[in-house]
Amino acid sequence: MHDTETSRTAAQPVPVGTIWQRTDPESRRRIASFAMRFGTLLALLGMIALPGQRSRTDMLALLQMVMFLSAMWTALFAWAAREPPQPGRLNLRDEALAFTALFLLVRILRIQVLGM
C-alpha cells in the first residue's frame, strides 16, 4: 500500500530560512513597530514606577489604561489610513487587536490575581 499523506508531504518544498525571513516585509515592519511601541510604553511605565512608592495594583491599573489607549489610538490610525483587513499580512488593525488583547490580559490579571 502507498501512503498518500506521506507522498504529499514529501512533494511540498521545504521553505528556506527562518520564520522572520519568510514573512513579507510589510508584516515585518508592523511587528517591529508594535515591538517598538510596546517597549517604549513599558520603559515609560518603568520610569514612572522607579521614583515613587507605587503599589503593584496601581501599576497594573496604569498599564491597563495605557494598553486601552494604545489600542484606541492604533484603531483610530487604522481607520484614518483606511486600511482594509488583509489576510496573510499584518497591518494597523492587527496591531490594534494585539494591544486590545494585552489590555484584556492585564484586566484579567487584575481581576483574578489581585481581586480588583
Side-chain angles (χ1 to χ4, degrees):
M1 246 203 223
H2 186 65
D3 188 8
T4 57
E5 190 63 36
T6 307
S7 298
R8 287 184 195 146
T9 306
Q12 294 176 352
V14 177
V16 180
T18 63
I19 292 175
W20 184 256
Q21 292 169 338
R22 290 184 303 218
T23 307
D24 66 297
E26 182 63 29
S27 294
R28 277 188 270 172
R29 189 176 70 80
R30 187 57 49 209
I31 292 169
S33 169
F34 173 76
M36 186 178 63
R37 287 183 194 191
F38 186 63
T40 303
L41 290 173
L42 289 181
L44 290 173
L45 286 174
M47 288 191 321
I48 290 170
L50 282 178
Q53 298 294 331
R54 303 212 189 270
S55 68
R56 187 181 319 154
T57 56
D58 289 343
M59 288 310 296
L60 281 176
L62 186 59
L63 180 63
Q64 179 183 339
M65 182 186 66
V66 167
M67 289 299 126
F68 177 76
L69 292 174
S70 297
M72 291 298 105
W73 275 109
T74 308
L76 180 68
F77 292 150
W79 175 76
R82 300 185 192 273
E83 282 190 335
Q86 300 171 351
R89 178 178 287 168
L90 298 175
N91 60 16
L92 280 171
R93 289 175 182 254
D94 299 311
E95 192 171 340
L97 286 174
F99 277 120
T100 303
L102 287 171
F103 160 73
L104 291 174
L105 182 68
V106 173
R107 178 71 179 157
I108 290 169
L109 180 70
R110 282 185 64 208
I111 290 172
Q112 294 299 320
V113 175
L114 302 174
M116 306 209 96

